């Protein structure tokens, strides 16, 4: 069996998580969605389908070039290519100039970067924006989860799927 490397590892959201992303984005009427870590684009397809329905778009990010190409191809095959942009490179750089106001963020890249990516995007998040984090139950995400669940943060957070997903809503 070939070794699992960052370029080949397939770590997509489950169908239930994908459907939740779609539902949240649709319910929020999300027109600007930002994703940290698209891998082969499974979550991107759910997010982009919702963005299309809301007459919006998705900006996603991925550091492995071959995965960027795979996501672009998946979007193309789904007829969604014109509703999403895949930015190649470290999201801490590529997402720096993303335009606001952002309605929904999905965090699914390196878990220890959830906090920095959230801080990078926070000035552009609209009041009441949703931030969804996958793998929130991993130790590397602990700092981010503690921050989002702190009482003084003005943010309401709910863990779902036995803590794997953390859905947060910013103050309105
Ligand atoms: C769990 S996978 C994403 C799965 C995808 N969201 C899905 O559900 O189909 C995490 C991805 O984030 C990428 N990644 C990790 N750190 C990153 C960074 N700093 N910038 C951009 N991409 C990153 C990895 O290469 C990997 O493909």
């Amino acid at each position: 069996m070939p070794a699992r490397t960052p370029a080949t590892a397939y770590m997509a959201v489950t169908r239930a998580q994908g459907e939740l992303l779609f539902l949240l984005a649709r319910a929020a009427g999300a027109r600007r969605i930002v994703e940290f870590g698209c891998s082969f684009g499974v979550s991107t397809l759910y997010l982009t389908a919702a963005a299309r329905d809301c007459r919006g778009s998705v900006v996603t990010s991925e550091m492995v070039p071959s995965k960027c190409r795979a996501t672009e191809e998946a979007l193309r095959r789904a007829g969604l290519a014109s509703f999403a942009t895949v930015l190649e490179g470290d999201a801490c750089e590529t997402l720096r100039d993303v335009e606001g106001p952002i309605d929904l963020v999905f965090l699914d890249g390196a878990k220890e970067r959830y906090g920095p990516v959230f801080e990078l995007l926070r000035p552009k998040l609209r009041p009441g924006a949703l931030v969804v984090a996958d793998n929130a139950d991993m130790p590397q995400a602990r700092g981010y989860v503690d921050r989002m669940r702190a009482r003084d943060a003005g943010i309401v957070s709910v863990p779902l799927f036995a803590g794997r997903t953390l859905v947060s809503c910013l103050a309105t």
Side-chain angles (χ1 to χ4, degrees):
M1 198 173 155
R4 213 171 88 132
T5 71
T8 59
Y10 204 91
M11 306 161 287
V13 291
T14 63
R15 179 175 180 158
Q17 285 181 298
E19 289 175 348
L20 175 70
L21 287 171
F22 177 81
L23 184 71
L24 289 173
R26 279 289 304 267
R31 301 195 66 174
R32 192 160 287 152
I33 297 174
V34 177
E35 180 179 44
F36 170 38
C38 64
S39 191
F40 295 96
V42 176
S43 51
T44 316
L45 290 174
Y46 285 101
L47 291 168
T48 309
R52 173 203 54 198
D53 291 355
C54 299
R55 295 192 300 280
S57 60
V58 172
V59 174
T60 188
S61 54
E62 172 55 54
M63 65 196 313
V64 178
S66 57
K67 288 181 166 181
C68 293
R69 300 296 86 75
T71 295
E72 288 166 346
E73 175 62 9
L75 288 162
R76 193 191 62 73
R77 291 177 63 153
L80 294 169
S82 59
F83 303 98
T85 304
V86 181
L87 300 179
E88 183 180 317
D90 185 343
C92 292
E93 295 303 323
T94 61
L95 294 182
R96 200 169 284 281
D97 297 324
V98 101
E99 276 184 39
I102 298 167
D103 301 296
L104 187 149
V105 174
F106 180 50
L107 301 172
D108 200 15
K111 312 312 159 197
E112 61 278 8
R113 297 281 180 91
Y114 282 9
V117 171
F118 173 70
E119 291 305 334
L120 185 71
L121 299 174
R122 186 167 193 178
K124 297 169 187 170
L125 295 180
R126 73 155 164 84
L130 293 167
V131 184
V132 183
D134 189 21
N135 307 115
D137 52 349
M138 288 177 64
Q140 300 94 313
R142 184 65 188 271
Y144 169 81
V145 171
D146 288 349
R147 185 201 184 302
M148 299 304 268
R149 303 202 71 183
R151 282 182 181 278
D152 63 352
I155 296 170
V156 178
S157 293
V158 179
L160 299 174
F161 303 119
R164 174 172 170 175
T165 297
L166 187 73
V167 180
S168 303
C169 181
L170 270 62
T172 50

